Amino acid sequence: SALPDLVVVGSGFFGLTIAERCANELGLKVLVLERRHHLGGNAYSEIDPETGIEVHVYGTHLFHTSNKRVWEYVNRFTTFTGYQHRVFGKYRGQVYSLPMNLALINQFFGKSHTPDEARALIAEQSREIATEDATNLEEKAISLIGRPLYEAFIKGYTAKQWQTDPTELSADIITRLPVRYNFDNRYFNDDFEGLPTDGYTAWLTRMAEHPDIEVRLDTDFLDPANGVAEQFKGKVPIVYTGPIDEYFDNCEGRLSWRTVDLEVETLDVDDFQGTGVVNANDQDVPWTRILEFKHLHPERTYLPGKTIVVHEYSRNASVDDEPYYPVNTAEDREKLLKYRDLAKKEPMVLFGGRLGTYKYLDMHMAIGSALSMVDNKLKPHFADGAALT
Ligand code: FDA
């Protein structure tokens, strides 16, 4: 059969934005190759058939952005609910409102504070260490918010997230630890926020609904048995959104990632924790947080008496794990520079998305960066014949 105009490797938000724009705006025939059995990348979700609850298969996804262009773009494919994310944290048998705010300070120290009193208290407690003298994450955190709040809300959680004692983590991991001297507990402070009304998969599926977009599932671009790399490399432009190290056969070594184990279970209670996310701030509780999906869509109707919760456990990813968060050690950054050099020399291939750039990208960032790639690389190439570099 005839070659497509463009091959996109990966059907996450980055790949689908490229495919959608190239089909609709540039009139191209696009072939999307996806190695999983479903499209959508990590934002993919499934409706549990028993309870009707939407389960985010690769971890909770909350959409938020202040980028007007991205907001207008995504609204072509879905409407959004008015959901506003809020997070709570459990510590020593008590539940606190996060991010650290006046409600938390009052509850934790057992008395009410005016904003100025709270500021004075935290300033006093953080005097123990000067920020410029901090030699590790623990000292840095204490220098910013004081020891009591650090030990309750940062220490255990951070230790579990990194499986490393905070005294052995670099001070650079945190630049600031915002404390809000008011009762505002909205998690995101973006201009736009909400969840896709009929779910992530409906949204992602609509992005690929164009007669000139073909999505081929269960097809790993790098598996020689598929023959796809051989068929397309050097013959048609390729946008590759898989891991950059894998593309080059890990020739400079593997980039390190952290992963999250998600333990999903259906419970016979109507409401387990009264909200979507409760962090586990105690160091001796093995999970980092518990998600309860039905609270993300309170507007939906569910089977009563049932709920679905997920316990999350954070750890270093091995080769067979889903790569979630770049570890980004000095060694990783060195390898990445070498891979970027190789990527620049790879003819007719553009690297993008979170795996292709080894960067944590929120959904709005992945979509925004794909729109820029269309404007700055693909449109000049296909519309004006510019070289693809
Ligand atoms: P993504 O990983 O989604 O897609 C890449 C696709 O390429 C995958 O489907 C993969 O199978 C495929 N692929 C890889 N190699 C291939 C190959 N060789 N051949 C064929 N296919 C291949 N963002 C946000 O805004 N709010 C949130 O709350 C969250 N929450 C969140 C939780 C967790 C645990 C994670 C890890 C991430 C988030 N995110 C998020 C980020 C969000 O998941 C991210 O922005 C998008 O997944 C980025 O889309 P990409 O297309 O870049 O990658």
Side-chain angles (χ1 to χ4, degrees):
S1 62
L3 289 172
D5 299 311
L6 175 72
V7 168
V8 175
V9 179
S11 64
F13 270 119
F14 193 97
L16 289 182
T17 301
I18 297 283
E20 190 282 330
R21 285 293 75 207
C22 285
N24 275 308
E25 193 184 339
L26 305 180
L28 304 179
K29 273 198 178 314
V30 185
L31 173 63
V32 181
L33 304 174
E34 171 54 58
R35 68 179 169 194
R36 289 177 177 161
H37 71 275
H38 61 76
L39 60 56
N42 279 4
Y44 171 77
S45 70
E46 287 171 355
I47 306 290
D48 173 60
E50 184 196 2
T51 58
I53 297 169
E54 181 176 351
V55 175
H56 297 198
V57 178
Y58 303 94
T60 326
H61 278 68
L62 307 152
F63 190 81
H64 57 96
T65 186
S66 291
N67 183 328
K68 203 148 180 275
R69 184 184 183 201
V70 167
W71 181 244
E72 280 166 7
Y73 177 69
V74 299
N75 272 273
R76 293 184 193 182
F77 311 103
T78 182
T79 53
F80 287 85
T81 67
Y83 179 80
Q84 296 185 339
H85 195 48
R86 290 189 166 77
V87 174
F88 295 82
K90 198 167 173 180
Y91 178 68
R92 295 205 179 153
Q94 185 57 269
V95 174
Y96 298 89
S97 162
L98 295 171
M100 286 179 279
N101 59 47
L102 211 44
L104 177 145
I105 289 172
N106 289 343
Q107 199 183 347
F108 186 72
F109 294 106
K111 75 188 251 308
S112 82
H113 295 74
T114 65
D116 284 343
E117 287 166 352
R119 252 187 216 102
L121 176 75
I122 303 309
E124 170 64 33
Q125 295 184 339
S126 55
R127 209 162 288 153
E128 185 183 332
I129 298 170
T131 304
E132 59 275 19
D133 295 340
T135 60
N136 58 50
L137 190 147
E138 173 161 305
E139 291 178 2
K140 179 93 161 261
I142 292 171
S143 80
L144 295 169
I145 58 165
R147 191 176 287 274
L149 289 182
Y150 162 74
E151 288 189 340
F153 299 104
I154 307 293
K155 187 179 177 166
Y157 194 82
T158 306
K160 286 188 281 183
Q161 226 177 1
W162 292 90
Q163 288 183 304
T164 307
D165 193 90
T167 56
E168 277 155 38
L169 289 169
S170 159
D172 301 335
I173 292 178
I174 43 171
T175 43
R176 1 174 269 128
L177 282 175
V179 176
R180 296 179 185 171
Y181 295 101
N182 57 38
F183 289 94
D184 176 15
N185 69 340
R186 266 188 78 173
Y187 195 75
F188 301 116
N189 43 28
D190 277 318
D191 295 344
F192 313 104
E193 179 178 357
L195 291 171
T197 312
D198 54 1
Y200 279 98
T201 297
W203 168 10
L204 290 152
T205 304
R206 261 176 239 129
M207 291 181 76
E209 256 165 25
H210 187 285
D212 289 333
I213 299 177
E214 181 195 341
V215 181
R216 209 177 285 169
L217 301 175
D218 299 304
T219 307
D220 188 335
F221 180 74
L222 300 176
D223 181 356
N226 288 325
V228 281
E230 198 193 336
Q231 191 182 353
F232 300 120
K233 256 189 183 176
K235 297 181 190 121
V236 281
I238 295 171
V239 173
Y240 174 87
T241 74
I244 188 166
D245 50 358
E246 282 183 19
Y247 183 96
F248 296 106
D249 213 8
N250 305 303
C251 64
E252 303 293 348
R254 281 185 184 275
L255 296 165
S256 54
W257 291 84
R258 297 196 58 75
T259 194
V260 178
D261 291 320
L262 304 167
E263 223 176 76
V264 185
E265 54 186 330
T266 304
L267 302 177
D268 294 325
V269 289
D270 200 57
D271 192 347
F272 176 74
Q273 61 184 12
T275 191
V277 176
V278 178
N279 289 354
N281 290 90
D282 295 294
Q283 198 162 351
D284 55 355
V285 173
W287 53 84
T288 49
R289 51 182 204 167
I290 301 178
L291 318 172
E292 187 173 8
F293 287 120
K294 68 189 333 190
H295 293 292
L296 304 186
H297 287 280
E299 77 285 0
R300 292 182 185 166
T301 326
Y302 301 109
L303 181 70
K306 297 259 181 200
T307 193
I308 297 182
V309 298
V310 183
H311 289 71
E312 287 196 3
Y313 303 81
S314 177
R315 62 178 172 81
N316 284 319
S318 66
V319 183
D320 300 323
D321 293 316
E322 290 295 342
Y324 280 168
Y325 303 104
V327 178
N328 208 15
T329 60
E331 217 179 295
D332 287 323
R333 288 193 290 272
E334 243 171 73
K335 289 178 195 168
L336 183 61
L337 288 178
K338 292 179 187 159
Y339 284 125
R340 278 203 197 134
D341 276 344
L342 289 169
K344 265 185 235 140
K345 289 181 212 137
E346 192 67 8
M348 295 174 84
V349 183
L350 298 176
F351 292 77
R354 55 178 209 101
L355 301 165
T357 56
Y358 189 64
K359 269 198 197 117
Y360 177 81
L361 300 175
D362 270 328
M363 292 178 278
H364 67 279
M365 296 160 83
I367 293 163
S369 123
L371 292 173
S372 301
M373 183 184 273
V374 173
D375 286 351
N376 302 332
K377 308 267 185 184
L378 295 165
K379 219 158 142 183
H381 175 72
F382 285 105
D384 309 322
L388 199 65
T389 48

